[in-house]
Amino acid sequence: MASCCCPIIASFVSFLLVFPALVSSATTGNGNGSTTALRFGEEQLGLRRMRAQLARVREATVKTIQSPDGDVIDCVPSHLQPAFDHPSLRGQRPEDEPAARPGNADAVEDDEEEEVLPQTWRSSGEWCPKGTIPVRRTTEGDLLRASSVRRFGMKPKSAAARRDSTSNGHEHAVGYVTGGQFYGAKASLNVWPAQVSSPAEFSLSQIWVISGSFGNDLNTIEAGWQVSPELYGDNSPRFFTYWTSDAYQETGCYNLHCAGFVQINGRVVIGAAITPVSAYGGRQFDITLMIWKDPKKGNWWLQLGPSGALVGYWPSSLFTHLGARGRGGADMVQFGGEAVNTRPSGSHTPTQMGSGRFPGEGYGRAAYFRNLQVVDWDNNLIPAAGLRLLADHPGCYDIAGGQGGAWGSYFYYGGPGRNVRCP
């Protein structure tokens, strides 16, 4: 019997040496030995799956680019990207671009020299070959930082898109519309180097497209910019995507960390740092995002930048409520910020949302969303009428809106976190 246990003990010791934080988290709780063994087994299985996925990407890579900020970009043939490991997508290739876009958002002619989104990796002067997509390489260091390898690249189960999520450590300052069916959303938002005080926290600004109840069947599609030291290893604002079809339980992930989102653009790295960013009292830099549902095939597309370049799509087969063709739209659209508050030392976190300044400071100092629009049943872009504003903790992160002029419907949002009004 002793000889049979040796491989298990050796495996545990090896895992403990490489991933001590994960074993620690797996052994917390009621101290039940069977629970500990189960969690350890789940983490080991997650590690094997992640290493297998990373190996597949490396094997498919036809070119590697070293970014000045330390990121490694792998150029992967588009039909071999992680999305096509999904059971409903295996053997497929990327779909053609939709024939029609909402409103006046016309398709643009592909231009190899066009800078769709200014990102740090582009300063290397290198490009991925035609027919490939650039994928930010996940490293062993990325896995080491994760609180759980099995859930690497996923939001915590406690995450929520709901407007009133005040008790799970995720705090929001958002504008939202409800009371109808929405087939997409569009907005411009400025990018800031938000300061995140703990690796266990993040700060993001994004668009949410939401359908279903706020139980286990919630479907969301999300895109924007975020600062996440745990996920990326630094405090740079990065372009990201996310999806879930079960309220952040077991499906979905950030970026291309799991099978799901299909990228078609060879000039944008999802998960790469955005540069330049907005400066307090100085130049403002914003990005324009549009998410919408192709009425013919039901896929949800992501468009980036003023030129209307397509990044890729979330296949309809990933979803339940959002997946149906035809009238299967969203029940709610949200725009705004989210920050995680782990209450270090028993007080509110100083992690910033947006610029780290309150909305009252206005342009050039506070973060904003402008030109808020939604897509209606007839594939038209229309103003986000009936926009409601809500801040979970206004003394920490607040929001204030307006209407009119070139900005249409807009709001300023954010804050510093811990301060005299937010102890």
Side-chain angles (χ1 to χ4, degrees):
M1 290 293 292
S3 62
C4 293
C5 293
C6 286
I8 297 175
I9 294 172
S11 177
F12 182 86
V13 171
S14 174
F15 193 81
L16 177 63
L17 291 172
V18 179
F19 297 98
L22 303 184
V23 175
S24 174
S25 67
T27 55
T28 57
N30 59 14
N32 185 290
S34 60
T35 300
T36 298
L38 175 62
R39 291 177 178 173
F40 167 66
E42 290 175 345
E43 289 299 307
Q44 270 203 319
L45 179 60
L47 179 59
R48 286 197 295 269
R49 286 176 176 169
M50 280 303 304
R51 282 177 167 163
Q53 177 183 318
L54 300 183
R56 287 194 295 272
V57 172
R58 292 293 301 277
E59 290 170 3
T61 298
V62 299
K63 179 181 178 179
T64 296
I65 300 171
Q66 181 69 54
S67 174
D69 63 357
D71 282 357
V72 177
I73 310 301
D74 292 322
C75 302
V76 179
S78 59
H79 66 287
L80 297 177
Q81 63 181 289
F84 296 116
D85 288 333
H86 194 280
S88 69
L89 301 175
R90 283 180 187 144
Q92 297 184 25
R93 288 177 176 266
E95 297 273 2
D96 293 332
E97 296 185 6
R101 304 193 192 185
N104 296 319
D106 298 323
V108 295
E109 189 174 329
D110 187 54
D111 181 358
E112 293 295 335
E113 299 301 319
E114 178 198 10
E115 189 165 45
V116 178
L117 174 68
Q119 292 183 298
T120 304
W121 77 280
R122 297 287 295 275
S123 62
S124 68
E126 295 193 66
W127 305 79
C128 281
K130 191 171 184 178
T132 68
I133 63 162
V135 178
R136 181 182 181 271
R137 180 181 297 177
T138 299
T139 67
E140 200 89 346
D142 294 330
L143 300 180
L144 272 169
R145 290 190 306 273
S147 57
S148 167
V149 172
R150 188 180 72 82
R151 292 187 59 82
F152 177 77
M154 302 175 72
K155 287 188 177 183
K157 290 185 178 182
S158 60
R162 63 188 303 170
R163 307 180 303 278
D164 57 354
S165 55
T166 59
S167 62
N168 60 11
H170 291 249
E171 301 183 11
H172 302 80
V174 298
Y176 65 94
V177 290
T178 58
Q181 283 284 288
F182 308 99
Y183 299 88
K186 183 178 182 180
S188 297
L189 57 157
N190 59 347
V191 181
W192 290 90
Q195 297 302 300
V196 175
S197 67
S198 164
E201 299 176 341
F202 64 70
S203 181
L204 58 77
S205 299
Q206 66 171 66
I207 297 173
W208 290 262
V209 175
I210 305 166
S211 189
S213 68
F214 288 101
N216 291 331
D217 69 341
L218 187 73
N219 290 196
T220 75
I221 291 172
E222 309 171 30
W225 64 264
Q226 72 175 161
V227 177
S228 176
E230 180 178 292
L231 188 58
Y232 304 109
D234 61 22
N235 277 283
S236 298
R238 293 170 177 268
F239 174 57
F240 82 95
T241 62
Y242 200 90
W243 68 275
T244 180
S245 62
D246 64 354
Y248 305 98
Q249 298 302 301
E250 300 297 333
T251 64
C253 64
Y254 283 112
N255 309 333
L256 305 181
H257 287 307
C258 67
F261 184 83
V262 179
Q263 183 168 340
I264 67 167
N265 195 299
R267 302 186 300 278
V268 174
V269 175
I270 303 175
I274 301 171
T275 184
V277 296
S278 299
Y280 182 78
R283 181 189 175 196
Q284 301 301 290
F285 176 78
D286 65 23
I287 59 176
T288 300
L289 301 172
M290 181 169 72
I291 299 168
W292 91 98
K293 186 174 187 178
D294 175 14
K296 292 192 177 296
K297 295 192 175 181
N299 299 324
W300 290 83
W301 286 83
L302 175 60
Q303 177 177 302
L304 177 64
S307 64
L310 296 181
V311 179
Y313 62 93
W314 293 269
S316 62
S317 60
L318 299 178
F319 304 103
T320 50
H321 300 288
L322 291 174
R325 294 190 183 186
R327 299 288 180 176
D331 303 320
M332 179 190 298
V333 170
Q334 283 187 184
F335 311 85
E338 176 183 353
V340 174
N341 173 29
T342 60
R343 295 195 64 81
S345 305
S347 58
H348 195 285
T349 181
T351 285
Q352 299 175 340
M353 179 189 294
S355 69
R357 304 290 181 139
F358 285 114
E361 294 203 31
Y363 184 78
R365 294 170 174 79
Y368 63 75
F369 274 73
R370 62 178 176 85
N371 300 111
L372 307 179
Q373 296 175 289
V374 295
V375 180
D376 69 7
W377 66 273
D378 201 25
N379 211 30
N380 295 310
L381 270 171
I382 60 174
L387 184 76
R388 303 176 186 178
L389 305 180
L390 187 141
D392 291 337
H393 295 286
C396 309
Y397 313 112
D398 206 357
I399 186 168
Q403 179 75 40
W407 277 26
S409 180
Y410 68 90
F411 60 78
Y412 291 99
Y413 71 101
R418 185 193 307 157
N419 66 89
V420 293
R421 297 168 51 203
C422 178

